[in-house]
């Protein structure tokens, strides 16, 4: 398991599954756990599709953190949507269903979270792209961890200010 899993705020289930999928790589430290994720989900060999979907979802959760959404990511996600279908349940609520594999199920969870509004709280850190769940009251969290990324950024800003101030 990726060592950083416990650093960020964990999303509630089922969104946690999406978070773990997005965090199947540590972009900042260039560590890749996708092969393990694929093996655990019976998807060995689906590397390209999985990576493309993962990075498209990362683009979405970065957009949840105020970054512009990459049009290519949107295209990938709309392509993935073709593999899921809407179903009506006994309470006459619209849900999404996937008869495919674990990647389709990830897309179903994303859709459900978009519909119930919880998706906005799943973000990716502006510094290291690690996904975290924003539990703050006003949804203002920007960093995966204040200790890891927030302070680092603050320190940089402080050094910049000091350099600017020195003659
Ligand atoms: Zn971070």
């Amino acid at each position: 398991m990726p060592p950083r899993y416990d650093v960020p705020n964990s999303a509630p289930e089922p969104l946690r599954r999406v978070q773990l999928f997005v965090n199947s790589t540590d972009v900042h430290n260039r560590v890749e756990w996708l092969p393990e994720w694929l093996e655990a989900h019976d998807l060995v060999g689906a590397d390209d599709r999985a990576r493309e979907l993962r990075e498209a979802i990362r683009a979405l959760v970065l957009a949840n953190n105020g970054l512009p959404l990459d049009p290519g990511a949107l295209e990938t996600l709309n392509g993935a949507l073709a593999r899921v279908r809407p179903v009506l349940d006994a309470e006459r609520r619209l849900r999404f269903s996937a008869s495919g594999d674990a990647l389709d199920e990830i897309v179903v969870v994303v859709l459900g979270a978009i519909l119930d509004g919880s998706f906005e709280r799943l973000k990716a850190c502006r510094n290291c792209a690690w996904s975290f769940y924003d539990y703050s009251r006003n949804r203002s969290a920007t960093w995966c961890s204040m200790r890891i990324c927030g302070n680092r950024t603050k320190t940089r800003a402080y050094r910049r200010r000091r350099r600017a101030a020195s003659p």
Side-chain angles (χ1 to χ4, degrees), residues 63-107:
N64 285 345
N65 202 351
L67 271 75
L69 181 59
D70 170 42
L74 204 55
E75 204 177 306
T76 297
L77 289 159
N78 279 320
L81 289 191
R83 293 169 59 94
V84 304
R85 59 191 175 87
V87 284
L88 203 59
D89 70 11
E91 272 75 51
R92 302 169 313 282
R93 281 185 304 237
L94 195 59
R95 303 196 178 286
F96 290 89
S97 167
S99 45
D101 54 28
L103 291 173
D104 296 330
E105 309 229 331
I106 292 282
V107 174

Side-chain angles (χ1 to χ4, degrees), residues 14-30:
L15 208 46
R16 173 72 171 154
R17 283 189 266 157
V18 177
Q19 181 183 32
L20 289 174
F21 176 57
V22 172
N23 287 345
S24 65
T25 181
D26 182 347
V27 179
H28 206 61
N29 296 303
R30 297 184 187 179

Side-chain angles (χ1 to χ4, degrees), residues 4 125 127-130 143-145 149:
R4 291 192 57 191
C125 177
N127 184 54
C128 71
W130 189 254
W143 317 112
C144 62
S145 145
C149 285

